[in-house]
Amino acid sequence: MRDAYHEELDSISDSLVEMARLVGSAIGRATTAILDSDLKLAESVIEADQKVDDLQHDLEARAIALLARQQPVATDLRIVVTSLRMSADLERSGDLAQHVAKLTRLRYPSRAIPHDLHATILEMGQLAQRLMAKAAEVIVTKDVDLALQMETDDDEMDLLHRTLFQHLMDERWKHGIETAVDVTLLGRYYERFADHAVAVAKRVVFLVTGEHADELQQDIQPVTGVEGA
């Protein structure tokens, strides 16, 4: 019975990894779709989100069944509860990728993104995909150090997000209000996607250590200043 129980716990972890890889792929394909105004690709991203939803629903059912049957405590309880929270983060990430694809469909055959913002949006999309790939790796390896590093990676996304707003606030902006709204929404989608990837990694930190990532980061802050000053 215990072997079957731990196999089920491993299966829940495997489902989280699959969800992370699916939503990472989705944000990459959605980025290509919106930059190229590729309706077919956008539709494939929109349709594929159902698989992520199905995985989450299945994971929730198995986790709740484990809680009812096994009544786990200590580390095992932390694994089940944390997995439920991670699945919610990953499902929301899939929704955000879908939002990017839906914006492509809404503006088709026109391009939603002005040419002068293509490089920034591409960079945001690539960074979002890398962050989710790291989150998947953290789930697999339970690497606390890698998980804590992701906060720094997220700073890069925040900087790109601010860059978008600088374009929007520039008095030379010539693309109109509708495009400004589209760009504002798109920037928010990528920024939130990155936040969810980081949240997943932080939940792994809690799963492994029993401590919250923010508390651990405070504990390992480097000491500044001259020794003995």
Side-chain angles (χ1 to χ4, degrees), residues 168-213:
L168 292 171
M169 299 302 293
D170 195 313
E171 62 183 11
R172 293 169 294 179
W173 177 262
K174 60 181 183 297
H175 304 294
I177 294 174
E178 183 178 85
T179 301
V181 171
D182 288 347
V183 170
T184 300
L185 288 172
L186 194 61
R188 182 61 173 163
Y189 297 153
Y190 286 116
E191 188 264 341
R192 289 299 299 145
F193 187 99
D195 285 347
H196 284 297
V198 172
V200 167
K202 284 183 173 182
R203 295 193 197 285
V204 174
V205 172
F206 177 70
L207 187 157
V208 173
T209 67
E211 295 186 65
H212 293 287

Side-chain angles (χ1 to χ4, degrees), residues 45-207:
V45 173
I46 293 166
E47 293 171 7
D49 188 57
Q50 185 60 50
K51 183 172 183 181
V52 176
D53 293 343
D54 291 344
L55 281 167
Q56 188 203 19
H57 296 156
D58 178 65
L59 186 152
E60 285 181 342
R62 285 184 285 138
I64 291 169
L66 272 180
L67 289 171
R69 290 197 314 267
Q70 302 291 341
Q71 299 181 357
V73 295
T75 301
D76 288 349
L77 178 60
R78 202 158 66 228
I79 290 171
V80 176
V81 173
T82 303
S83 295
L84 284 168
R85 291 175 174 170
M86 284 193 284
S87 75
D89 281 311
L90 293 168
E91 188 275 334
R92 183 57 185 146
S93 299
D95 288 346
L96 291 164
Q98 189 182 57
H99 291 341
V100 175
K102 285 183 175 179
L103 185 56
T104 304
R105 183 172 67 183
L106 179 66
R107 299 305 176 208
Y108 183 83
S110 299
R111 293 178 183 267
I113 305 304
H115 183 73
D116 53 340
L117 290 180
H118 272 218
T120 302
I121 295 299
L122 177 60
E123 192 171 354
M124 292 181 85
Q126 290 174 339
L127 178 57
Q129 192 168 8
R130 289 199 303 273
L131 279 166
M132 193 56 74
K134 272 192 178 181
E137 184 179 351
V138 167
I139 295 170
V140 172
T141 63
K142 306 295 188 291
D143 187 331
V144 171
D145 290 335
L146 181 62
L148 294 175
Q149 288 170 15
M150 287 183 63
E151 192 76 54
T152 301
D153 296 332
D154 187 46
D155 291 342
E156 187 179 345
M157 181 66 81
D158 292 338
L159 179 59
L160 289 167
H161 194 203
R162 288 195 294 272
T163 298
L164 280 185
F165 275 99
Q166 289 170 359
H167 281 279
L168 292 171
M169 299 302 293
D170 195 313
E171 62 183 11
R172 293 169 294 179
W173 177 262
K174 60 181 183 297
H175 304 294
I177 294 174
E178 183 178 85
T179 301
V181 171
D182 288 347
V183 170
T184 300
L185 288 172
L186 194 61
R188 182 61 173 163
Y189 297 153
Y190 286 116
E191 188 264 341
R192 289 299 299 145
F193 187 99
D195 285 347
H196 284 297
V198 172
V200 167
K202 284 183 173 182
R203 295 193 197 285
V204 174
V205 172
F206 177 70
L207 187 157

Side-chain angles (χ1 to χ4, degrees), residues 12-26:
I12 287 173
S13 179
D14 291 343
S15 292
L16 290 170
V17 173
E18 184 176 1
M19 288 180 71
R21 288 173 176 165
L22 285 172
V23 299
S25 172

